[in-house]
Amino acid sequence: MNFIKRKKSREIILQVIYSWKILKSKNIYCKIKETQSLLKNFNKNSVDFTFIINLVKGIIKHKKYINLIIKKYTYKKVRYLGKIEKIILSIAIYEFKKNKNTPYKVIINESIELTKKFCNVNSYKLINSIINTIYISEYKINHDK
């Protein structure tokens, strides 16, 4: 597993999902096709194509579940979250749920790094707090086994 490839892949996932939210794209088939065509612009050695496609499909498929988790843990803070922060939370939640091989500390750290790169200067503190709470409350038992 190449962590540099995964880091760049998470950035692409964030950008793809953000563009869909801005365009309000509803058609899942089109979303997958758009992702695949976008990936043609990247060198196979710089990103993990399988990881990107699997996460994008998973986030789309489990959108309702992910949104419920976000609402559950951000009910007081939701007004402070922008689209990008919600997408970063979605990526982390899906990774906690499905990528048991990725250490939770890596998922949390990558989420913080994405937030620092794409969001408000202090947003990473809020995202860190929310993601830690979600992990401890929802996934810690399953991950530690």
Side-chain angles (χ1 to χ4, degrees):
M1 181 179 347
N2 187 329
F3 290 109
I4 295 171
K5 280 181 155 182
R6 290 275 174 103
K7 182 179 202 67
K8 183 65 180 167
S9 298
R10 286 182 185 92
E11 287 181 16
I12 293 169
I13 293 164
L14 171 67
Q15 292 166 344
V16 166
I17 295 174
Y18 181 75
S19 70
W20 295 338
K21 288 197 181 280
I22 294 297
L23 299 173
K24 300 193 185 327
S25 179
K26 302 271 189 236
N27 186 325
I28 292 173
Y29 177 76
C30 287
K31 289 179 181 182
I32 300 303
K33 283 292 188 189
E34 289 170 14
T35 303
Q36 290 170 334
S37 66
L38 175 72
L39 292 176
K40 291 177 184 173
N41 298 327
F42 289 92
N43 180 340
K44 289 184 180 186
N45 295 324
S46 66
V47 294
D48 185 339
F49 292 113
T50 305
F51 178 74
I52 293 171
I53 295 298
N54 288 341
L55 252 71
V56 167
K57 284 181 181 178
I59 290 168
I60 293 167
K61 183 178 178 181
H62 298 283
K63 187 172 112 178
K64 286 182 182 178
Y65 166 79
I66 290 168
N67 287 337
L68 285 173
I69 297 292
I70 290 173
K71 284 180 185 174
K72 182 177 177 180
Y73 292 96
T74 62
Y75 65 95
K76 289 184 179 178
K77 302 168 188 167
V78 74
R79 66 178 173 212
Y80 300 113
L81 293 175
K83 281 182 173 52
I84 296 175
E85 287 92 344
K86 290 177 186 173
I87 295 167
I88 292 169
L89 290 173
S90 298
I91 294 168
I93 290 167
Y94 185 74
E95 282 200 82
F96 286 149
K97 182 174 176 58
K98 293 295 182 180
N99 284 349
K100 305 276 193 261
N101 295 334
T102 304
Y104 76 93
K105 288 181 180 181
V106 170
I107 296 169
I108 292 170
N109 185 57
E110 288 298 315
S111 300
I112 292 167
E113 292 301 316
L114 283 172
T115 306
K116 285 179 178 178
K117 185 170 184 173
F118 292 101
C119 300
N120 188 335
V121 176
N122 291 316
S123 291
Y124 77 93
K125 296 173 188 175
L126 178 60
I127 294 298
N128 183 33
S129 167
I130 295 168
I131 289 177
N132 274 309
T133 303
I134 290 171
Y135 174 73
I136 290 167
S137 301
E138 297 286 330
Y139 303 103
K140 186 173 180 13
I141 295 166
N142 295 332
H143 257 262
D144 290 347
K145 288 182 178 177

